[in-house]
Amino acid sequence: MAVYTDVTDEELHAFVAQYDIGSVLAFKGIAEGVENSNFLLHTEAGYFILTLYEKRVNPAELPYFIGLMEHLAAAGISCPTPLANLDSETLGTLAGKPAAICTFLNGMSVRRAKAVHCQGLGNAMAEMHLAGADFTMHRKNALTVDGWRPLFDLSQDRADEVCHGLAAEIERELTVLEERWPRDLPVGEIHADLFTDNVFFLGEELSGIIDFYFACTDAFAYDVAICLNAWCFEADDSFNVTKARALLKGYSSVRPFTAAEFEALPLLARGSALRFLLTRLYDWLSVPEGALVTPKDPMEYLKKLRFHRHVTSARDYGLALGDVVA
Amino acid sequence: MAVYTDVTDEELHAFVAQYDIGSVLAFKGIAEGVENSNFLLHTEAGYFILTLYEKRVNPAELPYFIGLMEHLAAAGISCPTPLANLDSETLGTLAGKPAAICTFLNGMSVRRAKAVHCQGLGNAMAEMHLAGADFTMHRKNALTVDGWRPLFDLSQDRADEVCHGLAAEIERELTVLEERWPRDLPVGEIHADLFTDNVFFLGEELSGIIDFYFACTDAFAYDVAICLNAWCFEADDSFNVTKARALLKGYSSVRPFTAAEFEALPLLARGSALRFLLTRLYDWLSVPEGALVTPKDPMEYLKKLRFHRHVTSARDYGLALGDVVA
């Protein structure tokens, strides 16, 4: 839930007047997105989402995020489409903060994904990867292997408060991943945060992907690995191979994996599990005493990491090499 | 901001299927209402607000609140109109809680009301009072004079932590109000919480009134007194007689005051100021250490109470008896 900034009527009317969408009929804060303030904006032209970019998003990176959404939407990917104002700008300023108006996307995130949702996700992710190929801007992934040790340094001393032996286990894992991390996989624009919150469905049909504020230029297969973690484990932390198979099959039916990608998947899945373990661990240890918001449990990702460590081949994710590679 | 209850897809689809509004296209928690969880509901039939009634609302009283909105809407008052489901029920159950779907009301609350807004509010409030005349259900006002002393008892011992001498001042005020409170004014269904948050405008035109969950059967003029406090003071706590004049003129142009109402206004304004002082004082003293939500400052209403105590006649609110009485 997120509405961090108050917007006055005058500011709102002046901002919306820069667009060709008529006057404002309604404006309500909505509980969507964690990093930014999001509002439902109803104007004479219809319903939109207005986003105010709060301080966790670096303003210098907004042209990349907004540009990527514009590019993907133009290529037919269902994602929020930033509206251009009368000066052809998609990024403006409201209440002293960067702001954009995007199309309203129908659909809802699923709480309990079924295999059919995973397959749809695989399809859409592969289409998104292909559609991004001719996007000319790039952004380094700040949360890939090079960024993990500095992040770990912030929590190392207190990691064992969460689970005995955790610091040593992360240290060993980091060393392995730094040594073996694949550097030559096919690269492009990836979403990098395709959790269920960020994918909308209408029934079993995927209707859109939102929240591109972790998007970056990195290995396509790393995006797939993030989804294996985010979509293919059950509430009891057991791996659901049926969902993984559907995800990989859905992906490869649009963009077949290379053999190197297929081989790298277990390691990428370990890396992605470590990435979310590290950010959750940091948030867990940083939360102020008595805060109302409970941070997400880092242990969930430790269990996922351990699962992938015992995976001997991507075959354990439910598909043979020949099924998914071109 | 308020979304307290998680709703699963299955529950939502089953609930919406009871209505003739097509299937669900989007569902987002919105930051509106303090007592309940509110969601924007987009279906094939359009946009609606779905409200889940949380524990601060007594389920036994919901038929009154929902019935009043239905009645007022049917009489042409712009307020959320509860939709009847296929069994002709306006109140159902979702996620184990009472729930209703209402029409989506355009407009936004004003942060800095001008006199013209106050006049519109006066008009609409009087129309609402008239429209409620033939509503057959009634609800006692739990927060009028008889309820204040029990409420004060909960905070009396610690009232001086907020302001030295506050307990004694409230005690004196309560005694005066209990003695002089008018019992024979015209009575009907009042909103009883017409703060700026609960009144929508499109530009200078009032477009709707929301949040009827304090509505009750009480003196019409008490509703007016609540608005004098909520709309006619500036941020520096000074009284704005231009706004008060506009409010009273707006009201009386639709429903002229009786002489008794006009005479009683200063006392009713003191009472209404005390009512909000007492609830805010209670909330202020009850807030847990370290909570993220800051309760509203009770001192604002102490200052308003003191202002009204020095008002000698309703004439001080900007109008003479002859201007507003039938």
Side-chain angles (χ1 to χ4, degrees), chain A residues 1 3 6-7 9-10 12 24-32 40 42 47 104 106-112 200 202 290, chain B residues 1 3 6-7 9-10 12 24-32 40 42 47 104 106-112 200 202 290:
Chain A
M1 157 143 23
V3 174
D6 240 21
V7 179
D9 297 356
E10 294 76 11
L12 177 65
V24 181
L25 297 177
F27 185 67
K28 296 180 194 295
I30 61 172
E32 201 161 89
L40 172 78
H42 181 204
Y47 290 80
F104 183 98
N106 280 327
M108 284 148 290
S109 51
V110 289
R111 282 167 212 254
R112 281 181 296 240
F200 288 172
L202 284 170
Chain B
M1 160 143 18
V3 174
D6 240 21
V7 179
D9 297 356
E10 295 75 13
L12 177 64
V24 181
L25 298 177
F27 186 66
K28 296 179 195 297
I30 60 172
E32 202 162 87
L40 172 78
H42 181 204
Y47 289 80
F104 182 98
N106 280 327
M108 284 148 289
S109 51
V110 289
R111 282 165 213 257
R112 280 180 297 240
F200 288 172
L202 284 170

Short mmCIF file of all heavy atoms in Angstrom, two decimals, chain A residues 1 3 6-7 9-10 12 24-32 40 42 47 104 106-112 200 202 290, chain B residues 1 3 6-7 9-10 12 24-32 40 42 47 104 106-112 200 202 290:
data_model
loop_
_atom_site.label_atom_id
_atom_site.label_comp_id
_atom_site.label_asym_id
_atom_site.label_seq_id
_atom_site.Cartn_x
_atom_site.Cartn_y
_atom_site.Cartn_z
N MET A 1 0.85 -1.19 0.00
CA MET A 1 0.00 0.00 0.00
C MET A 1 0.89 1.23 0.00
O MET A 1 1.82 1.31 0.77
CB MET A 1 -0.84 -0.04 1.27
CG MET A 1 -1.37 1.27 1.73
SD MET A 1 -3.00 1.09 2.40
CE MET A 1 -3.04 -0.64 2.85
N VAL A 3 0.76 5.50 -0.58
CA VAL A 3 0.51 6.88 -1.01
C VAL A 3 1.30 7.74 -0.03
O VAL A 3 0.94 7.89 1.12
CB VAL A 3 -0.98 7.27 -0.96
CG1 VAL A 3 -1.16 8.74 -1.26
CG2 VAL A 3 -1.77 6.44 -1.96
N ASP A 6 1.05 13.97 -0.64
CA ASP A 6 -0.20 14.69 -0.78
C ASP A 6 -0.14 15.59 -2.01
O ASP A 6 0.85 16.28 -2.21
CB ASP A 6 -0.35 15.58 0.45
CG ASP A 6 -1.60 15.22 1.21
OD1 ASP A 6 -2.10 14.10 1.04
OD2 ASP A 6 -2.06 16.08 1.97
N VAL A 7 -1.18 15.57 -2.81
CA VAL A 7 -1.22 16.41 -4.00
C VAL A 7 -2.38 17.38 -3.85
O VAL A 7 -3.51 16.95 -3.56
CB VAL A 7 -1.43 15.53 -5.26
CG1 VAL A 7 -1.51 16.40 -6.50
CG2 VAL A 7 -0.31 14.51 -5.39
N ASP A 9 -5.27 20.13 -5.09
CA ASP A 9 -6.13 20.28 -6.27
C ASP A 9 -5.45 21.11 -7.34
O ASP A 9 -5.49 20.76 -8.52
CB ASP A 9 -7.42 21.01 -5.91
CG ASP A 9 -8.24 20.24 -4.90
OD1 ASP A 9 -7.84 19.12 -4.55
OD2 ASP A 9 -9.26 20.78 -4.47
N GLU A 10 -4.87 22.23 -6.91
CA GLU A 10 -4.29 23.17 -7.87
C GLU A 10 -3.15 22.50 -8.64
O GLU A 10 -3.06 22.60 -9.86
CB GLU A 10 -3.76 24.43 -7.15
CG GLU A 10 -4.84 25.30 -6.50
CD GLU A 10 -5.39 24.72 -5.18
OE1 GLU A 10 -4.81 23.75 -4.65
OE2 GLU A 10 -6.43 25.24 -4.71
N LEU A 12 -2.69 19.31 -9.06
CA LEU A 12 -3.22 18.23 -9.90
C LEU A 12 -3.81 18.78 -11.19
O LEU A 12 -3.52 18.28 -12.28
CB LEU A 12 -4.27 17.43 -9.12
CG LEU A 12 -4.94 16.33 -9.92
CD1 LEU A 12 -3.93 15.25 -10.31
CD2 LEU A 12 -6.09 15.71 -9.13
N VAL A 24 -10.12 16.69 -14.75
CA VAL A 24 -10.11 15.64 -13.73
C VAL A 24 -11.52 15.40 -13.18
O VAL A 24 -12.21 16.35 -12.81
CB VAL A 24 -9.18 16.03 -12.57
CG1 VAL A 24 -9.15 14.93 -11.52
CG2 VAL A 24 -7.78 16.34 -13.07
N LEU A 25 -11.92 14.17 -13.12
CA LEU A 25 -13.22 13.81 -12.54
C LEU A 25 -13.07 13.10 -11.19
O LEU A 25 -13.95 13.17 -10.35
CB LEU A 25 -14.01 12.91 -13.50
CG LEU A 25 -14.38 13.55 -14.84
CD1 LEU A 25 -15.10 12.54 -15.73
CD2 LEU A 25 -15.25 14.79 -14.63
N ALA A 26 -11.98 12.40 -11.01
CA ALA A 26 -11.74 11.73 -9.72
C ALA A 26 -10.26 11.41 -9.61
O ALA A 26 -9.56 11.27 -10.62
CB ALA A 26 -12.58 10.46 -9.58
N PHE A 27 -9.81 11.29 -8.36
CA PHE A 27 -8.38 11.09 -8.08
C PHE A 27 -8.29 10.41 -6.72
O PHE A 27 -8.65 11.00 -5.71
CB PHE A 27 -7.70 12.46 -8.06
CG PHE A 27 -6.20 12.43 -7.91
CD1 PHE A 27 -5.41 11.90 -8.91
CD2 PHE A 27 -5.59 12.95 -6.78
CE1 PHE A 27 -4.02 11.89 -8.79
CE2 PHE A 27 -4.20 12.94 -6.64
CZ PHE A 27 -3.42 12.42 -7.67
N LYS A 28 -7.86 9.17 -6.72
CA LYS A 28 -7.85 8.42 -5.46
C LYS A 28 -6.54 7.66 -5.30
O LYS A 28 -6.12 6.97 -6.24
CB LYS A 28 -8.98 7.38 -5.45
CG LYS A 28 -10.36 7.96 -5.50
CD LYS A 28 -11.40 6.85 -5.49
CE LYS A 28 -12.77 7.37 -5.88
NZ LYS A 28 -13.33 8.34 -4.94
N GLY A 29 -5.94 7.75 -4.14
CA GLY A 29 -4.74 6.97 -3.86
C GLY A 29 -5.06 5.49 -3.92
O GLY A 29 -6.11 5.07 -3.43
N ILE A 30 -4.19 4.68 -4.53
CA ILE A 30 -4.44 3.24 -4.56
C ILE A 30 -3.31 2.47 -3.92
O ILE A 30 -2.17 2.92 -3.86
CB ILE A 30 -4.72 2.69 -5.98
CG1 ILE A 30 -3.54 2.92 -6.91
CG2 ILE A 30 -5.98 3.28 -6.56
CD1 ILE A 30 -3.70 2.21 -8.23
N ALA A 31 -3.68 1.29 -3.44
CA ALA A 31 -2.74 0.45 -2.69
C ALA A 31 -2.02 -0.45 -3.68
O ALA A 31 -2.29 -1.63 -3.76
CB ALA A 31 -3.51 -0.36 -1.66
N GLU A 32 -1.12 0.11 -4.45
CA GLU A 32 -0.39 -0.68 -5.44
C GLU A 32 1.01 -0.10 -5.58
O GLU A 32 1.17 1.11 -5.62
CB GLU A 32 -1.12 -0.60 -6.78
CG GLU A 32 -0.80 -1.72 -7.73
CD GLU A 32 -1.89 -1.82 -8.82
OE1 GLU A 32 -1.73 -1.16 -9.84
OE2 GLU A 32 -2.86 -2.56 -8.62
N LEU A 40 -5.42 6.43 -8.81
CA LEU A 40 -6.38 6.26 -9.89
C LEU A 40 -6.78 7.67 -10.33
O LEU A 40 -7.20 8.49 -9.51
CB LEU A 40 -7.61 5.51 -9.40
CG LEU A 40 -8.74 5.47 -10.43
CD1 LEU A 40 -8.44 4.43 -11.49
CD2 LEU A 40 -10.07 5.18 -9.75
N HIS A 42 -9.29 9.63 -12.86
CA HIS A 42 -10.39 9.56 -13.81
C HIS A 42 -10.53 10.94 -14.45
O HIS A 42 -10.65 11.93 -13.75
CB HIS A 42 -11.68 9.17 -13.07
CG HIS A 42 -12.88 9.04 -13.96
ND1 HIS A 42 -14.16 9.17 -13.50
CD2 HIS A 42 -12.99 8.79 -15.28
CE1 HIS A 42 -15.01 9.01 -14.50
NE2 HIS A 42 -14.32 8.77 -15.59
N TYR A 47 -9.97 6.35 -17.58
CA TYR A 47 -9.28 6.03 -16.33
C TYR A 47 -7.78 5.80 -16.59
O TYR A 47 -7.42 5.14 -17.55
CB TYR A 47 -9.90 4.78 -15.70
CG TYR A 47 -11.28 5.03 -15.15
CD1 TYR A 47 -12.40 5.05 -15.99
CD2 TYR A 47 -11.48 5.28 -13.80
CE1 TYR A 47 -13.68 5.30 -15.48
CE2 TYR A 47 -12.74 5.53 -13.28
CZ TYR A 47 -13.84 5.53 -14.13
OH TYR A 47 -15.09 5.78 -13.62
N PHE A 104 -4.55 2.68 -17.79
CA PHE A 104 -5.08 1.79 -16.75
C PHE A 104 -5.13 0.38 -17.34
O PHE A 104 -5.72 0.17 -18.39
CB PHE A 104 -6.49 2.26 -16.38
CG PHE A 104 -7.13 1.46 -15.28
CD1 PHE A 104 -7.11 1.93 -13.98
CD2 PHE A 104 -7.78 0.26 -15.53
CE1 PHE A 104 -7.71 1.22 -12.95
CE2 PHE A 104 -8.37 -0.47 -14.51
CZ PHE A 104 -8.35 0.01 -13.22
N ASN A 106 -6.27 -3.45 -17.14
CA ASN A 106 -7.19 -4.38 -16.48
C ASN A 106 -6.47 -5.63 -16.00
O ASN A 106 -5.39 -5.95 -16.48
CB ASN A 106 -8.32 -4.78 -17.43
CG ASN A 106 -9.40 -3.71 -17.50
OD1 ASN A 106 -9.65 -3.02 -16.50
ND2 ASN A 106 -10.01 -3.55 -18.66
N GLY A 107 -7.13 -6.32 -15.09
CA GLY A 107 -6.58 -7.57 -14.59
C GLY A 107 -6.22 -7.47 -13.12
O GLY A 107 -6.20 -6.38 -12.54
N MET A 108 -5.95 -8.62 -12.53
CA MET A 108 -5.60 -8.70 -11.12
C MET A 108 -4.46 -9.68 -10.94
O MET A 108 -4.35 -10.64 -11.70
CB MET A 108 -6.79 -9.21 -10.31
CG MET A 108 -7.85 -8.15 -10.10
SD MET A 108 -9.48 -8.91 -10.03
CE MET A 108 -9.66 -9.41 -11.75
N SER A 109 -3.63 -9.44 -9.94
CA SER A 109 -2.58 -10.42 -9.66
C SER A 109 -3.22 -11.65 -9.03
O SER A 109 -4.24 -11.55 -8.35
CB SER A 109 -1.54 -9.80 -8.74
OG SER A 109 -2.15 -9.22 -7.62
N VAL A 110 -2.64 -12.80 -9.27
CA VAL A 110 -3.18 -14.03 -8.67
C VAL A 110 -2.44 -14.30 -7.37
O VAL A 110 -1.25 -14.07 -7.27
CB VAL A 110 -3.03 -15.27 -9.60
CG1 VAL A 110 -3.97 -15.17 -10.77
CG2 VAL A 110 -1.60 -15.45 -10.06
N ARG A 111 -3.18 -14.77 -6.39
CA ARG A 111 -2.54 -15.08 -5.11
C ARG A 111 -1.99 -16.50 -5.12
O ARG A 111 -0.96 -16.77 -4.54
CB ARG A 111 -3.53 -14.88 -3.97
CG ARG A 111 -3.63 -13.40 -3.70
CD ARG A 111 -4.76 -12.97 -2.84
NE ARG A 111 -5.16 -11.66 -3.28
CZ ARG A 111 -4.90 -10.53 -2.61
NH1 ARG A 111 -4.28 -10.58 -1.46
NH2 ARG A 111 -5.28 -9.38 -3.08
N ARG A 112 -2.73 -17.38 -5.75
CA ARG A 112 -2.25 -18.76 -5.86
C ARG A 112 -2.17 -19.11 -7.34
O ARG A 112 -3.16 -19.50 -7.95
CB ARG A 112 -3.20 -19.71 -5.16
CG ARG A 112 -3.01 -19.73 -3.63
CD ARG A 112 -3.96 -20.71 -3.00
NE ARG A 112 -5.33 -20.25 -3.24
CZ ARG A 112 -6.20 -19.95 -2.28
NH1 ARG A 112 -5.86 -20.09 -1.02
NH2 ARG A 112 -7.42 -19.55 -2.57
N PHE A 200 -0.69 -9.19 -14.07
CA PHE A 200 -2.16 -9.21 -14.00
C PHE A 200 -2.73 -10.29 -14.91
O PHE A 200 -2.22 -10.52 -16.02
CB PHE A 200 -2.73 -7.86 -14.44
CG PHE A 200 -2.51 -6.73 -13.47
CD1 PHE A 200 -2.84 -5.43 -13.84
CD2 PHE A 200 -1.99 -6.95 -12.20
CE1 PHE A 200 -2.65 -4.38 -12.95
CE2 PHE A 200 -1.81 -5.90 -11.31
CZ PHE A 200 -2.13 -4.61 -11.70
N LEU A 202 -6.68 -11.91 -16.32
CA LEU A 202 -8.14 -11.95 -16.32
C LEU A 202 -8.49 -13.42 -16.47
O LEU A 202 -8.28 -14.00 -17.53
CB LEU A 202 -8.70 -11.13 -17.48
CG LEU A 202 -8.65 -9.62 -17.27
CD1 LEU A 202 -8.99 -8.88 -18.55
CD2 LEU A 202 -9.61 -9.19 -16.14
N GLY A 290 8.88 -1.77 16.69
CA GLY A 290 7.50 -1.29 16.81
C GLY A 290 6.86 -0.85 15.50
O GLY A 290 5.76 -0.32 15.49
N MET B 1 -6.21 6.20 4.68
CA MET B 1 -5.82 5.07 3.85
C MET B 1 -6.26 3.79 4.53
O MET B 1 -6.01 3.58 5.70
CB MET B 1 -4.31 5.10 3.73
CG MET B 1 -3.69 3.81 3.33
SD MET B 1 -2.31 4.04 2.24
CE MET B 1 -1.89 5.76 2.48
N VAL B 3 -6.94 -0.40 3.75
CA VAL B 3 -7.28 -1.72 3.21
C VAL B 3 -6.83 -2.71 4.26
O VAL B 3 -5.65 -2.96 4.45
CB VAL B 3 -6.60 -2.01 1.87
CG1 VAL B 3 -6.88 -3.46 1.44
CG2 VAL B 3 -7.10 -1.08 0.78
N ASP B 6 -7.66 -8.85 3.13
CA ASP B 6 -7.27 -9.45 1.87
C ASP B 6 -8.44 -10.22 1.28
O ASP B 6 -9.11 -10.95 2.00
CB ASP B 6 -6.15 -10.46 2.17
CG ASP B 6 -4.89 -10.12 1.43
OD1 ASP B 6 -4.72 -8.96 1.03
OD2 ASP B 6 -4.06 -11.03 1.27
N VAL B 7 -8.68 -10.06 0.01
CA VAL B 7 -9.78 -10.77 -0.64
C VAL B 7 -9.18 -11.68 -1.71
O VAL B 7 -8.40 -11.21 -2.55
CB VAL B 7 -10.76 -9.77 -1.30
CG1 VAL B 7 -11.89 -10.51 -2.00
CG2 VAL B 7 -11.31 -8.80 -0.26
N ASP B 9 -9.16 -14.11 -5.12
CA ASP B 9 -9.83 -14.08 -6.42
C ASP B 9 -11.14 -14.84 -6.38
O ASP B 9 -12.17 -14.38 -6.88
CB ASP B 9 -8.97 -14.76 -7.49
CG ASP B 9 -7.66 -14.05 -7.70
OD1 ASP B 9 -7.46 -12.99 -7.07
OD2 ASP B 9 -6.84 -14.56 -8.48
N GLU B 10 -11.09 -16.04 -5.78
CA GLU B 10 -12.26 -16.91 -5.78
C GLU B 10 -13.41 -16.23 -5.04
O GLU B 10 -14.55 -16.22 -5.50
CB GLU B 10 -11.95 -18.26 -5.12
CG GLU B 10 -10.92 -19.12 -5.88
CD GLU B 10 -9.47 -18.64 -5.73
OE1 GLU B 10 -9.19 -17.78 -4.86
OE2 GLU B 10 -8.61 -19.12 -6.50
N LEU B 12 -13.80 -13.06 -4.49
CA LEU B 12 -14.25 -11.87 -5.22
C LEU B 12 -15.16 -12.25 -6.37
O LEU B 12 -16.24 -11.67 -6.55
CB LEU B 12 -13.04 -11.09 -5.74
CG LEU B 12 -13.37 -9.87 -6.58
CD1 LEU B 12 -14.11 -8.82 -5.74
CD2 LEU B 12 -12.12 -9.27 -7.20
N VAL B 24 -15.36 -9.42 -13.37
CA VAL B 24 -14.40 -8.47 -12.80
C VAL B 24 -13.26 -8.21 -13.79
O VAL B 24 -12.68 -9.14 -14.33
CB VAL B 24 -13.79 -9.03 -11.50
CG1 VAL B 24 -12.81 -8.05 -10.90
CG2 VAL B 24 -14.90 -9.37 -10.50
N LEU B 25 -12.95 -6.95 -14.00
CA LEU B 25 -11.82 -6.58 -14.87
C LEU B 25 -10.64 -6.02 -14.06
O LEU B 25 -9.49 -6.13 -14.47
CB LEU B 25 -12.26 -5.55 -15.91
CG LEU B 25 -13.36 -6.02 -16.88
CD1 LEU B 25 -13.77 -4.89 -17.81
CD2 LEU B 25 -12.86 -7.21 -17.69
N ALA B 26 -10.94 -5.41 -12.93
CA ALA B 26 -9.85 -4.91 -12.08
C ALA B 26 -10.39 -4.69 -10.67
O ALA B 26 -11.60 -4.49 -10.48
CB ALA B 26 -9.27 -3.62 -12.63
N PHE B 27 -9.49 -4.72 -9.71
CA PHE B 27 -9.86 -4.64 -8.29
C PHE B 27 -8.65 -4.11 -7.54
O PHE B 27 -7.62 -4.78 -7.49
CB PHE B 27 -10.24 -6.06 -7.81
CG PHE B 27 -10.77 -6.12 -6.41
CD1 PHE B 27 -11.99 -5.54 -6.09
CD2 PHE B 27 -10.08 -6.80 -5.42
CE1 PHE B 27 -12.50 -5.62 -4.81
CE2 PHE B 27 -10.58 -6.89 -4.13
CZ PHE B 27 -11.81 -6.30 -3.83
N LYS B 28 -8.74 -2.91 -7.03
CA LYS B 28 -7.59 -2.29 -6.38
C LYS B 28 -8.00 -1.63 -5.07
O LYS B 28 -8.98 -0.88 -5.04
CB LYS B 28 -7.01 -1.19 -7.27
CG LYS B 28 -6.46 -1.67 -8.58
CD LYS B 28 -5.95 -0.49 -9.41
CE LYS B 28 -5.71 -0.88 -10.85
NZ LYS B 28 -4.68 -1.90 -11.04
N GLY B 29 -7.24 -1.88 -4.03
CA GLY B 29 -7.49 -1.20 -2.77
C GLY B 29 -7.29 0.29 -2.92
O GLY B 29 -6.37 0.72 -3.60
N ILE B 30 -8.19 1.10 -2.33
CA ILE B 30 -8.01 2.55 -2.43
C ILE B 30 -7.90 3.18 -1.05
O ILE B 30 -8.39 2.65 -0.06
CB ILE B 30 -9.11 3.26 -3.24
CG1 ILE B 30 -10.48 3.04 -2.62
CG2 ILE B 30 -9.10 2.81 -4.69
CD1 ILE B 30 -11.55 3.88 -3.28
N ALA B 31 -7.23 4.31 -1.03
CA ALA B 31 -6.95 5.02 0.21
C ALA B 31 -8.09 5.97 0.52
O ALA B 31 -7.95 7.17 0.36
CB ALA B 31 -5.62 5.76 0.07
N GLU B 32 -9.22 5.43 0.92
CA GLU B 32 -10.38 6.27 1.20
C GLU B 32 -11.16 5.62 2.33
O GLU B 32 -11.34 4.42 2.34
CB GLU B 32 -11.25 6.36 -0.04
CG GLU B 32 -12.16 7.55 -0.08
CD GLU B 32 -12.65 7.80 -1.50
OE1 GLU B 32 -13.66 7.21 -1.87
OE2 GLU B 32 -12.00 8.58 -2.24
N LEU B 40 -11.54 -0.12 -5.49
CA LEU B 40 -12.06 0.21 -6.81
C LEU B 40 -12.36 -1.12 -7.50
O LEU B 40 -11.49 -1.98 -7.60
CB LEU B 40 -11.02 0.98 -7.62
CG LEU B 40 -11.42 1.19 -9.07
CD1 LEU B 40 -12.44 2.32 -9.19
CD2 LEU B 40 -10.20 1.49 -9.93
N HIS B 42 -13.62 -2.65 -11.07
CA HIS B 42 -13.97 -2.42 -12.47
C HIS B 42 -14.56 -3.71 -13.01
O HIS B 42 -13.94 -4.77 -12.90
CB HIS B 42 -12.71 -2.02 -13.24
CG HIS B 42 -12.95 -1.73 -14.68
ND1 HIS B 42 -11.96 -1.83 -15.64
CD2 HIS B 42 -14.06 -1.33 -15.34
CE1 HIS B 42 -12.46 -1.52 -16.82
NE2 HIS B 42 -13.73 -1.20 -16.67
N TYR B 47 -17.32 1.13 -13.42
CA TYR B 47 -16.49 1.28 -12.22
C TYR B 47 -17.38 1.43 -10.99
O TYR B 47 -18.37 2.17 -11.02
CB TYR B 47 -15.58 2.49 -12.37
CG TYR B 47 -14.47 2.28 -13.38
CD1 TYR B 47 -14.71 2.41 -14.75
CD2 TYR B 47 -13.20 1.90 -12.97
CE1 TYR B 47 -13.70 2.19 -15.68
CE2 TYR B 47 -12.18 1.68 -13.89
CZ TYR B 47 -12.44 1.83 -15.24
OH TYR B 47 -11.44 1.61 -16.15
N PHE B 104 -19.70 4.45 -8.31
CA PHE B 104 -18.48 5.26 -8.23
C PHE B 104 -18.88 6.72 -8.38
O PHE B 104 -19.53 7.09 -9.35
CB PHE B 104 -17.55 4.85 -9.37
CG PHE B 104 -16.22 5.56 -9.38
CD1 PHE B 104 -15.10 4.96 -8.84
CD2 PHE B 104 -16.09 6.83 -9.94
CE1 PHE B 104 -13.86 5.61 -8.86
CE2 PHE B 104 -14.86 7.48 -9.95
CZ PHE B 104 -13.75 6.86 -9.41
N ASN B 106 -17.94 10.59 -8.92
CA ASN B 106 -16.88 11.50 -9.36
C ASN B 106 -16.69 12.64 -8.38
O ASN B 106 -17.58 12.94 -7.58
CB ASN B 106 -17.20 12.06 -10.74
CG ASN B 106 -16.85 11.07 -11.84
OD1 ASN B 106 -15.88 10.30 -11.70
ND2 ASN B 106 -17.63 11.06 -12.90
N GLY B 107 -15.55 13.27 -8.48
CA GLY B 107 -15.27 14.43 -7.64
C GLY B 107 -14.13 14.16 -6.68
O GLY B 107 -13.68 13.03 -6.51
N MET B 108 -13.65 15.22 -6.07
CA MET B 108 -12.55 15.13 -5.11
C MET B 108 -12.85 16.02 -3.92
O MET B 108 -13.51 17.04 -4.06
CB MET B 108 -11.26 15.63 -5.75
CG MET B 108 -10.66 14.62 -6.72
SD MET B 108 -9.82 15.46 -8.06
CE MET B 108 -11.22 16.15 -8.94
N SER B 109 -12.34 15.65 -2.76
CA SER B 109 -12.51 16.52 -1.61
C SER B 109 -11.58 17.71 -1.77
O SER B 109 -10.53 17.60 -2.39
CB SER B 109 -12.21 15.74 -0.33
OG SER B 109 -10.98 15.09 -0.42
N VAL B 110 -11.99 18.84 -1.24
CA VAL B 110 -11.14 20.04 -1.32
C VAL B 110 -10.29 20.13 -0.06
O VAL B 110 -10.74 19.79 1.03
CB VAL B 110 -11.96 21.36 -1.46
CG1 VAL B 110 -12.58 21.44 -2.83
CG2 VAL B 110 -13.01 21.49 -0.38
N ARG B 111 -9.05 20.53 -0.25
CA ARG B 111 -8.19 20.67 0.92
C ARG B 111 -8.34 22.04 1.55
O ARG B 111 -8.30 22.21 2.74
CB ARG B 111 -6.73 20.42 0.54
CG ARG B 111 -6.53 18.92 0.43
CD ARG B 111 -5.29 18.51 -0.28
NE ARG B 111 -5.56 17.28 -0.98
CZ ARG B 111 -5.16 16.07 -0.57
NH1 ARG B 111 -4.43 15.94 0.49
NH2 ARG B 111 -5.48 15.01 -1.26
N ARG B 112 -8.52 23.05 0.69
CA ARG B 112 -8.75 24.41 1.20
C ARG B 112 -10.09 24.89 0.66
O ARG B 112 -10.16 25.40 -0.46
CB ARG B 112 -7.63 25.34 0.77
CG ARG B 112 -6.37 25.22 1.63
CD ARG B 112 -5.32 26.17 1.14
NE ARG B 112 -4.93 25.81 -0.22
CZ ARG B 112 -3.71 25.46 -0.60
NH1 ARG B 112 -2.74 25.46 0.29
NH2 ARG B 112 -3.44 25.14 -1.83
N PHE B 200 -17.37 15.63 -1.99
CA PHE B 200 -16.64 15.72 -3.27
C PHE B 200 -17.14 16.90 -4.07
O PHE B 200 -18.33 17.22 -4.09
CB PHE B 200 -16.87 14.45 -4.11
CG PHE B 200 -16.17 13.23 -3.59
CD1 PHE B 200 -16.44 12.00 -4.18
CD2 PHE B 200 -15.25 13.29 -2.56
CE1 PHE B 200 -15.79 10.85 -3.73
CE2 PHE B 200 -14.60 12.15 -2.11
CZ PHE B 200 -14.89 10.92 -2.70
N LEU B 202 -16.49 18.92 -8.05
CA LEU B 202 -15.83 19.04 -9.35
C LEU B 202 -15.70 20.53 -9.57
O LEU B 202 -16.70 21.22 -9.82
CB LEU B 202 -16.66 18.38 -10.45
CG LEU B 202 -16.60 16.85 -10.46
CD1 LEU B 202 -17.63 16.26 -11.41
CD2 LEU B 202 -15.20 16.37 -10.87
N GLY B 290 5.22 4.59 19.50
CA GLY B 290 5.92 4.18 18.29
C GLY B 290 5.01 3.92 17.09
O GLY B 290 5.48 3.47 16.05
#
